Amino acid sequence: MPRPLPRPWVPEHVLVTAAAAEQPHTAEVLRRVEAAGVDDVRLLPGNRLTGLNEGSEREVYARAKKTLALVVAPPSAIKPQPIPPSADWRIDLARGCPAHCQYCYLAGSLTGPPITRAYANLDDVLAGIGTHAGRGAVTSGTAERDHEGTTYELSCYTDPLGVEHLTGSLAEAVRRVGTGAYGDDVSLRFTTKFDAVDDLLALPHGRRTRMRVSVNAEEVAGRFEGGTSPVPARIEALRRVALAGYRVGLTIAPVMPVEGWQEQYAALLDAVGTALADVPDLDLTTEVITHRFTPGSREVLLGWYPRTRLEMDESVRTAKRTKFGGVKHVYPRETMTEMRGWFTDALAARLPGAPLLYWT
């Protein structure tokens, strides 16, 4: 039986810091929050979010996942940061995500309770697109991807489509870049596990935004990706934005060698190929990311999901040092080699013309 479509996330609690209350974009967010039916909207006297750690670990998690905080991004979060191999730079519209993915990437990179923080100072956040145009080492100035211009990843620390109905920040970014507000040689990228694309379809995107959907094998998505849109709905959303002229992509992640993984991922790629077969002037890319975890993320995830069946057994993984001196646990070399070879061949056969940007 198909998994039912989730309703758009409606937080139970919305916190607005004093500094955020003074930002022009806040009025739009509060209008959307009220329209969504949120009753508990609190204007804080200061800029600190307090009381988030009260109760047991499960209570803290549950409350955090029901909370949206409207805050001002500090200077350290406004300056674009390099984000290879995805894009030249990272721009954060928000931090945190309302979904319940049991392998959550954010578990190892964000500290504190997993509330979703949306940035109210949108003008400041987006200004970095203009200041960093023409700079970068992933697409800007490269032979393979220079046609994309200077690229900005919007989904490093959030799923922007998952909160778009409450913030409107993604549409505003697409509109500004699409109409050349930051120059003609820049473009946006974001990836999502949601399908609510209606408000994006008629935007003047200028073909300067690439929406990718994060997809996975049926067993992985069905078991570990709580609170997200079913994969078939994501693929249909991809088709709709492609027909609206957007550049599109697949983020196949996190790949796991579950039983029958070749057949499951083959079915996934075939479904994408069928959905996009009649799209004119299709610009499709692919990215493949295998599952990995760190000791810190493993500890956090087991606290959030103590009954998870996600494999995080360090004894069957290979420890790999990161450039910052940390450790991440990846699949053994033999498994990685087999999966990389299979995906390289399967993507070329099933989605010809869709370049594999990177494998990791």
Side-chain angles (χ1 to χ4, degrees):
M1 178 180 297
R3 184 157 61 101
L5 292 175
R7 294 178 296 174
W9 179 59
V10 178
E12 290 187 10
H13 318 289
V14 173
L15 309 176
V16 184
T17 65
E22 299 175 355
Q23 294 293 321
H25 188 58
T26 297
E28 173 62 14
V29 178
L30 292 181
R31 183 192 68 79
R32 289 168 176 259
V33 164
E34 181 180 1
V38 180
D39 295 323
D40 183 18
V41 179
R42 282 176 273 172
L43 303 181
L44 303 178
N47 296 318
R48 294 186 59 193
L49 302 176
T50 59
L52 301 179
N53 289 299
E54 297 176 357
S56 67
E57 188 170 14
R58 290 296 299 162
E59 289 171 336
V60 169
Y61 171 83
R63 184 170 58 251
K65 281 294 186 176
K66 298 175 183 178
T67 302
L68 170 68
L70 194 57
V71 303
V72 167
S76 60
I78 290 175
K79 183 180 179 181
Q81 300 295 323
I83 188 67
S86 174
D88 288 320
W89 306 102
R90 187 190 86 224
I91 294 284
D92 299 327
L93 303 177
R95 287 200 173 195
C97 174
H100 299 269
C101 297
Q102 294 178 32
Y103 52 75
C104 179
Y105 304 112
L106 302 181
S109 54
L110 298 182
T111 59
I115 69 170
T116 299
R117 293 172 170 84
Y119 290 141
N121 51 333
L122 186 61
D123 291 341
D124 296 334
V125 168
L126 297 181
I129 298 174
T131 60
H132 284 63
R135 302 160 55 185
V138 175
T139 62
S140 187
T142 65
E144 298 82 5
R145 298 179 61 185
D146 187 59
H147 64 282
E148 297 181 62
T150 308
T151 47
Y152 300 84
E153 176 65 66
L154 301 180
S155 49
C156 184
Y157 286 127
T158 191
D159 187 320
L161 193 60
V163 296
E164 173 64 8
H165 59 293
L166 299 171
T167 69
S169 301
L170 176 60
E172 185 61 24
V174 171
R175 183 183 299 108
R176 292 188 191 185
V177 170
T179 55
Y182 304 107
D184 295 333
D185 198 27
V186 299
S187 65
L188 304 176
R189 294 163 50 80
F190 71 94
T191 191
T192 183
K193 291 185 175 71
F194 294 91
D195 70 319
V197 297
D198 287 357
D199 291 344
L200 303 182
L201 299 180
L203 292 176
H205 59 79
R207 209 164 170 80
R208 295 182 183 135
T209 293
R210 186 182 300 276
M211 181 184 117
R212 299 111 73 207
V213 289
S214 179
V215 292
N216 219 313
E218 180 179 0
E219 180 178 341
V220 177
R223 178 175 292 180
F224 300 123
E225 295 181 354
T228 64
S229 299
V231 170
R234 301 178 210 170
I235 295 174
E236 176 59 24
L238 190 71
R239 169 181 166 78
R240 295 176 66 201
V241 296
L243 286 172
Y246 282 84
R247 291 173 171 168
V248 294
L250 294 181
T251 304
I252 309 172
V255 169
M256 301 181 191
V258 296
E259 184 176 354
W261 63 268
Q262 296 97 330
E263 292 77 14
Q264 292 193 46
Y265 285 109
L268 171 67
L269 298 181
D270 287 342
V272 173
T274 299
L276 301 179
D278 63 343
V279 174
D281 198 19
L282 177 67
D283 185 335
L284 174 70
T285 60
T286 61
E287 303 149 73
V288 183
I289 305 170
T290 57
H291 179 248
R292 68 279 315 281
F293 61 90
T294 66
S297 67
R298 179 181 184 274
E299 181 180 359
V300 172
L301 290 171
L302 290 177
W304 291 352
Y305 309 108
R307 297 182 180 179
T308 185
R309 296 173 65 185
L310 178 67
E311 182 272 298
M312 291 187 289
D313 184 351
E314 297 176 358
S315 69
V316 299
R317 297 291 189 116
T318 295
K320 186 175 180 180
R321 288 283 175 182
T322 70
K323 63 181 180 180
F324 301 109
V327 174
K328 58 183 176 182
H329 296 279
V330 302
Y331 292 116
R333 177 176 295 182
E334 298 79 9
T335 302
M336 293 286 274
T337 299
E338 180 185 9
M339 291 195 299
R340 182 169 189 169
W342 186 91
F343 271 98
T344 300
D345 294 342
L347 287 167
R350 289 176 159 83
L351 298 174
L356 174 58
L357 300 183
Y358 60 86
W359 161 281
T360 184

